[in-house]
């Protein structure tokens, strides 16, 4: 059980290490040649570059074009988000039964783990499904990073106090990225899920390190994504809808 709780954080740590090692060499910072582009560049990096450049031409700011790209990406992964919400509700419904099992087998961790897994299987619940929308964004982050570093226009652009191709020297954006990551976890109800609770606290620290080390454009995307997710959850989650029974009584 303990290892299952830590698994999402361990996966994110490995992914973060992979992202930190994906910095392009000087040759790889050259513009992508569409004729010779590989699968990754052709279908992920180049489309992001085209989208960012096209919306910048319309809006006059790469900071705003990143916002447009974020909204489009979040809409694409909306089915995963809805699946996460369904998993969260299922986990909350099982909490009383899980507490009963924890009390019954408090001196037998192996039996507790077996019975908990049986409970999950009986109700067709995956306790790690709630982390999927966050983890699925990691390839997008890597593609964003490469799109920024291989597009001179984006790399040399500025937005507010930030140079989008460089890390925020004032640490303002890393703090905002970490804070919104934590707030997003609260809004999503990760604190109600024991299997995701460690992930809820470790993730902001990792995002701060990422935002501290990588271009501001990447951290800006993450902040936009967090804000979009919180607004999305407010409107579509049952947790934030008025109680119909209370309305009827009033």
């Amino acid at each position: 059980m303990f290892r299952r709780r830590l698994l999402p954080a361990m996966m994110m740590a490995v992914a973060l290490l992979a992202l930190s090692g994906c910095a392009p060499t000087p040759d790889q910072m050259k513009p992508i040649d569409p004729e010779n582009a590989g699968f990754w560049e052709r279908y992920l990096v180049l489309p992001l570059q085209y989208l960012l450049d096209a919306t910048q031409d319309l809006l006059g700011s790469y900071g705003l074009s990143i916002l447009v790209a974020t909204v489009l990406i979040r809409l694409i992964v909306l089915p995963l988000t809805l699946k996460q919400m369904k998993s969260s509700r299922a986990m909350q419904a099982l909490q009383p039964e899980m507490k009963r099992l924890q009390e019954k087998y408090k001196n037998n961790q192996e039996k507790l783990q077996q019975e908990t897994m049986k409970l999950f299987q009986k109700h067709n619940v995956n306790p790690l499904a709630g982390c999927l929308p966050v983890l699925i964004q990691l390839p997008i982050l890597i593609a964003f990073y490469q799109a920024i570093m291989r597009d001179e226009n984006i790399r040399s652009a500025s937005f507010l106090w930030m140079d989008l191709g460089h890390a925020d020297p004032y640490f303002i954006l890393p703090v905002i990225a970490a804070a919104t990551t934590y707030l997003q976890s609260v809004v999503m109800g990760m604190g109600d899920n024991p299997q995701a609770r460690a992930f809820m606290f470790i993730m902001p620290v990792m995002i701060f390190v990422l935002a501290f080390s990588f271009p501001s454009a990447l951290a800006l995307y993450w902040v936009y994504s967090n804000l979009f997710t919180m607004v999305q959850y407010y409107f579509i989650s049952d947790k934030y809808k008025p109680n119909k029974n209370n309305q009827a009584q009033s």
Side-chain angles (χ1 to χ4, degrees):
M1 179 71 67
F2 179 71
R3 278 183 283 182
R4 179 172 290 276
R5 292 181 182 182
L6 285 183
L7 182 58
M10 291 168 61
M11 292 173 65
M12 179 58 72
V14 172
L16 186 58
L17 289 173
L19 182 59
S20 67
C22 73
T25 64
D27 286 340
Q28 293 173 331
M29 289 179 65
K30 295 178 180 178
I32 298 173
D33 179 5
E35 298 297 326
N36 299 314
F39 179 89
W40 173 266
E41 295 168 336
R42 184 183 300 275
Y43 294 106
L44 282 175
V45 181
L46 275 176
L48 278 173
Q49 284 187 350
Y50 293 151
L51 175 62
L52 292 170
D53 288 338
T55 50
Q56 192 277 338
D57 291 338
L58 291 174
L59 302 176
S61 167
Y62 274 109
L64 296 178
S65 71
I66 293 172
L67 174 59
V68 172
T70 303
V71 172
L72 291 176
I73 290 170
R74 295 303 299 170
L75 290 175
I76 291 172
V77 301
L78 181 59
L80 292 177
T81 303
L82 295 176
K83 182 176 181 180
Q84 185 275 335
M85 292 176 63
K86 181 180 178 181
S87 175
S88 252
R89 287 195 292 265
M91 286 296 298
Q92 289 172 6
L94 291 180
Q95 287 305 308
E97 184 67 16
M98 291 175 64
K99 289 180 180 178
R100 187 187 70 79
L101 291 176
Q102 289 168 0
E103 181 64 25
K104 182 177 180 179
Y105 299 109
K106 60 183 178 181
N107 297 322
N108 189 339
Q109 290 300 309
E110 183 177 354
K111 183 66 174 177
L112 172 60
Q113 184 171 356
Q114 292 174 356
E115 293 300 317
T116 302
M117 290 304 300
K118 288 179 182 179
L119 180 65
F120 290 156
Q121 292 170 0
K122 177 182 177 181
H123 294 275
N124 196 27
V125 172
N126 180 358
L128 300 181
C131 302
L132 185 59
V134 176
L135 296 177
I136 203 67
Q137 291 191 68
L138 289 167
I140 299 173
L141 280 173
I142 296 173
F144 242 108
Y145 177 74
Q146 294 182 353
I148 294 162
M149 300 310 293
R150 301 191 69 169
D151 189 323
E152 175 61 30
N153 294 326
I154 304 174
R155 197 167 67 243
S156 60
S158 61
F159 179 65
L160 299 177
W161 72 91
M162 298 168 284
D163 293 326
L164 294 179
H166 301 277
D168 182 359
Y170 305 109
F171 311 136
I172 297 173
L173 197 58
V175 171
I176 295 175
T180 54
T181 297
Y182 176 77
L183 291 175
Q184 174 188 269
S185 300
V186 173
V187 170
M188 291 169 62
M190 280 191 176
D192 300 329
N193 181 350
Q195 278 69 37
R197 200 167 291 152
F199 188 79
M200 175 181 176
F201 292 101
I202 295 174
M203 181 71 173
V205 176
M206 294 183 175
I207 292 303
F208 177 85
V209 173
L210 186 152
F212 174 79
S213 307
F214 287 91
S216 295
L218 197 65
L220 189 61
Y221 161 77
W222 193 265
V223 171
Y224 284 153
S225 182
N226 289 340
L227 295 174
F228 181 89
T229 300
M230 285 188 278
V231 172
Q232 174 182 268
Y233 264 76
Y234 179 81
F235 283 107
I236 66 177
S237 175
D238 294 338
K239 181 178 179 180
Y240 300 101
K241 292 179 181 178
N243 188 296
K244 294 182 180 180
N245 294 330
N246 290 340
Q247 285 181 340
Q249 292 176 359
S250 60

